Amino acid sequence: MRRIIIFDTTLRDGEQSPGATLDLNEKRQIARQLALLKVDVIEAGFPITSPGDCEAVQAVAEEVKAPIICALARTVAKDIDRAWEAVRKAAKPRIHVFCATSEIHRRYKLRKAKSEILRIAEEGVKHARRYCKDVEFSPEDASRTEPEFLAEVVSAAIEAGATTVNIPDTVGYAAPEQFAELIRYLRDHVPNFKKAVISVHCHNDLGLGVANSLAAVKAGADQVECTINGLGERAGNAALEEVVMAIKTRRDFYGCRTGIVTRRLVAISHLVSTLTGIQVQRNKAIVGQNAFAHEAGIHQDGVLKERRTYEIMKPEDVGLSRSELVLGKHSGRHAFRVRVKELGFKLTEEQIQVAFERFKALADKKKVVYDGDIEAILEDEFAQVKELYRIESLHISSGTHTVPTATVRLRDAKGKLLEDAATGDGPVDAVYRAIERLTGVRMRLKDYRIRAVTMGKDALGEVSVEVEYKGQRLSTRGLSTDIIQASALAYLKAINKALTRRPRKTKTARRRKGL
Ligand SMILES: [Zn+2]
């Protein structure tokens, strides 16, 4: 059976989602989980855009060995040099070069004639091949390029040494039948077509990213570029979990398979959602909270009698366990360690110790601790940012006939204790004002969300905030059974992150519009 190559670009295209910036440790953590998921290729970044991006690709290349590690570059020598610098230590490096080919891009963006584009594409691929034997080429905006010219460019890129040619629907304009037709057209009109792997990269502006990718697979494409939770520029990319589960569930129709360990889909979806701060809609296919929930009585009845009446996939196959209850107050360190491993986390002894202590503290407050709670603790622990300020204590007074007031004590990096109080139009506002007075940092709160991590009134509360500071957007979260404390933790973490992060949105960053 034909095996489809799954190329994950969560760390590159996904990270280009507005508000989804990931730091080096967060990228490494996602990359490790992608390796456990057994994706074939990880596109780890676009190194020329910033030193931080380059470092993150380097870190992933050095640490994550099983998948191919890929870096994006324009067909420009300095981009390609930097991309190679970033991936050269990978066990399996790949350089991915791209150049726009559609008329509208040629005329307005590049101001170049067809012949020049052909030359640039060839030179870019050749330059990359001098470093690396695995080179991917993408004609940007391929779906709006004249098919004859596209065939010419693809053929030239393969001739120049591209081992994979990716056909991007950069602006999400294609329709499934038409996109499949384009793949068939290339197969019939590119003489050296069989010498390269044909890939697709579909954006979701019309909600067709997955449909277009699958239509292309049916028409002969061998690699699909996608992201966890469908993250990506604008409306995002084809969602990895949907592409993979469609191929698996409808093997009868597509006649192919992937190497993905589907049991890990839900866990990695949670992780990416937590670290990027972009929540998954409840009714999202495969990984949404409602994806396997049967509310209607008639459905429940059917599912209880015979699951297949209403379920086309098994929840276990995507990693939703039927029995979620795991640990309680009396569970020991060993049980905790085993569970952590099963959930796919790799922790040092020291980290286990810290996480175990947090688990015990939580188990004291809550009777039962679910997988979701443990994941939340671990993700929180991993996502730790350098603590310039730490909360020592917090006192709130609020009610129906009082002015909400917060007294906050913080400890700074030098160990000095700071205390101040503030009022606000509610307890969260009061706490945030007090924190701002203590740290002297003022941020714009763009979004504030609160949710229960698991079920029950005693559940852990998770507060996610998105803030803007000096033109940068940052997302963080705080976790506690006390929601005011969780709110304070999330906000203070954002301040710590803002103060320790190096500025990254430079001029080149603004230009970084890849594929
Ligand atoms: Zn893209």
Side-chain angles (χ1 to χ4, degrees):
M1 198 181 278
R2 199 156 67 96
R3 187 171 177 290
I4 304 301
I5 299 165
I6 297 295
F7 176 115
D8 179 276
T9 183
T10 306
L11 298 180
R12 201 277 299 169
D13 209 321
E15 208 237 358
Q16 284 174 226
S17 314
T21 44
L22 295 165
D23 65 26
L24 184 123
N25 275 328
E26 291 165 340
K27 283 195 162 193
R28 285 167 60 203
Q29 194 183 341
I30 292 173
R32 283 198 294 264
Q33 293 291 320
L34 286 171
L36 290 173
L37 185 70
K38 291 209 156 65
V39 302
D40 301 286
V41 187
I42 295 177
E43 185 162 63
F46 192 174
I48 194 74
T49 55
S50 75
D53 221 49
C54 189
E55 271 170 40
V57 178
Q58 265 165 350
V60 170
E62 280 175 36
E63 183 175 342
V64 179
K65 292 302 175 196
I68 293 169
I69 306 297
C70 173
L72 186 67
R74 291 168 301 182
T75 40
V76 175
K78 70 172 172 19
D79 276 39
I80 297 168
D81 298 344
R82 183 66 62 80
W84 175 244
E85 212 179 285
V87 292
R88 61 188 301 174
K89 292 202 177 136
K92 292 181 248 171
R94 172 180 295 184
I95 300 175
H96 179 187
V97 293
F98 74 97
C99 170
T101 51
S102 64
E103 201 212 339
I104 189 162
H105 279 244
R106 290 194 313 258
R107 180 182 298 180
Y108 296 103
K109 192 176 90 174
L110 301 174
R111 297 199 183 87
K112 285 187 169 42
K114 283 182 180 173
S115 56
E116 276 177 281
I117 301 283
L118 270 172
R119 185 183 56 78
I120 291 167
E122 266 172 13
E123 276 177 11
V125 171
K126 280 186 185 157
H127 189 69
R129 271 304 297 259
R130 271 179 223 129
Y131 292 126
C132 188
K133 62 181 196 305
D134 185 345
V135 171
E136 174 166 332
F137 171 75
S138 288
E140 188 188 1
D141 205 15
S143 53
R144 291 194 299 171
T145 302
E146 307 89 318
E148 312 75 50
F149 180 55
L150 186 63
E152 234 181 296
V153 177
V154 168
S155 174
I158 297 174
E159 194 53 44
T163 43
T164 298
V165 173
N166 177 47
I167 307 300
D169 181 25
T170 306
V171 291
Y173 183 73
E177 294 80 0
Q178 173 205 16
F179 198 56
E181 194 46 49
L182 179 64
I183 302 296
R184 277 186 228 108
Y185 175 89
L186 292 175
R187 188 189 58 201
D188 297 340
H189 292 82
V190 175
N192 50 5
F193 191 77
K194 286 227 164 77
K195 282 196 195 158
V197 168
I198 298 304
S199 167
V200 290
H201 176 111
C202 298
H203 274 272
N204 206 31
D205 297 70
L206 292 171
L208 294 171
V210 171
N212 285 333
S213 305
L214 292 171
V217 164
K218 189 76 179 164
D222 285 314
Q223 173 178 291
V224 176
E225 302 197 357
C226 43
T227 58
I228 302 294
N229 298 341
L231 285 184
E233 292 237 48
R234 307 180 310 276
N237 285 75
L240 181 146
E241 59 278 6
E242 294 176 23
V243 170
V244 165
M245 288 311 288
I247 289 174
K248 183 180 165 100
T249 307
R250 295 306 311 275
R251 192 161 22 189
D252 62 315
F253 178 71
Y254 291 108
C256 50
R257 66 187 179 88
T258 71
I260 296 296
V261 182
T262 60
R263 288 182 284 107
R264 295 199 172 270
L265 287 171
V266 165
I268 195 162
S269 163
H270 281 173
L271 178 71
V272 169
S273 152
T274 302
L275 296 183
T276 57
I278 298 179
Q279 273 173 359
V280 172
Q281 81 201 52
R282 289 183 82 102
N283 61 329
K284 162 90 173 60
I286 316 297
V287 293
Q289 228 175 323
N290 291 357
F292 290 90
H294 297 276
E295 283 288 337
I298 190 166
H299 286 202
Q300 278 182 351
D301 185 53
V303 169
L304 287 174
K305 282 179 180 144
E306 168 56 52
R307 192 156 70 180
R308 282 172 302 164
T309 49
Y310 287 100
E311 271 183 10
I312 59 167
M313 295 169 271
K314 288 192 235 143
E316 304 87 283
D317 284 353
V318 301
L320 273 178
S321 49
R322 292 265 185 207
S323 56
E324 268 206 308
L325 176 65
V326 276
L327 299 171
K329 193 172 162 167
H330 302 292
S331 306
R333 189 187 319 238
H334 180 66
F336 181 73
R337 190 196 314 262
V338 169
R339 196 66 202 142
V340 165
K341 211 170 154 200
E342 279 168 6
L343 290 171
F345 288 88
K346 200 174 116 191
L347 267 66
T348 63
E349 256 329 291
E350 210 175 308
Q351 284 170 317
I352 294 240
Q353 184 55 34
V354 175
F356 182 67
E357 271 158 28
R358 285 191 63 177
F359 159 75
K360 286 304 257 188
L362 179 66
D364 269 340
K365 289 187 193 166
K366 282 184 82 195
K367 286 192 193 68
V368 289
V369 179
Y370 298 96
D371 279 359
D373 292 318
I374 296 183
E375 277 170 358
I377 291 179
L378 294 173
E379 283 157 11
D380 194 46
E381 207 48 58
F382 267 121
Q384 281 299 358
V385 282
K386 204 170 164 203
E387 285 193 310
L388 293 179
Y389 295 100
R390 201 151 42 87
I391 294 178
E392 273 295 310
S393 68
L394 189 64
H395 179 83
I396 310 292
S397 106
S398 85
T400 40
H401 297 292
T402 61
V403 177
T405 310
T407 309
V408 178
R409 279 177 123 185
L410 298 182
R411 200 178 282 281
D412 70 10
K414 290 182 189 129
K416 203 171 131 209
L417 212 53
L418 315 162
E419 187 178 77
D420 208 339
T423 58
D425 68 1
V428 173
D429 186 36
V431 168
Y432 285 9
R433 281 167 194 261
I435 290 177
E436 283 183 349
R437 284 168 68 149
L438 286 168
T439 58
V441 177
R442 291 190 74 85
M443 304 201 281
R444 277 172 66 129
L445 187 63
K446 304 297 283 187
D447 196 11
Y448 171 97
R449 274 160 297 154
I450 185 160
R451 71 175 190 107
V453 173
T454 51
M455 60 195 116
K457 290 200 204 78
D458 60 355
L460 268 178
E462 179 190 88
V463 171
S464 314
V465 298
E466 194 185 326
V467 299
E468 201 178 278
Y469 179 68
K470 292 189 176 167
Q472 275 193 76
R473 289 230 179 175
L474 300 164
S475 302
T476 50
R477 2 165 276 154
L479 206 61
S480 171
T481 49
D482 177 327
I483 56 169
I484 304 295
Q485 194 183 346
S487 305
L489 286 168
Y491 199 62
L492 195 64
K493 209 180 268 180
I495 289 180
N496 285 333
K497 208 170 177 175
L499 295 178
T500 48
R501 167 172 289 188
R502 80 172 87 176
R504 53 176 293 174
K505 297 285 174 204
T506 56
K507 268 186 198 143
T508 39
R510 232 176 291 129
R511 260 196 282 132
R512 65 179 215 164
K513 288 285 172 201
L515 304 182

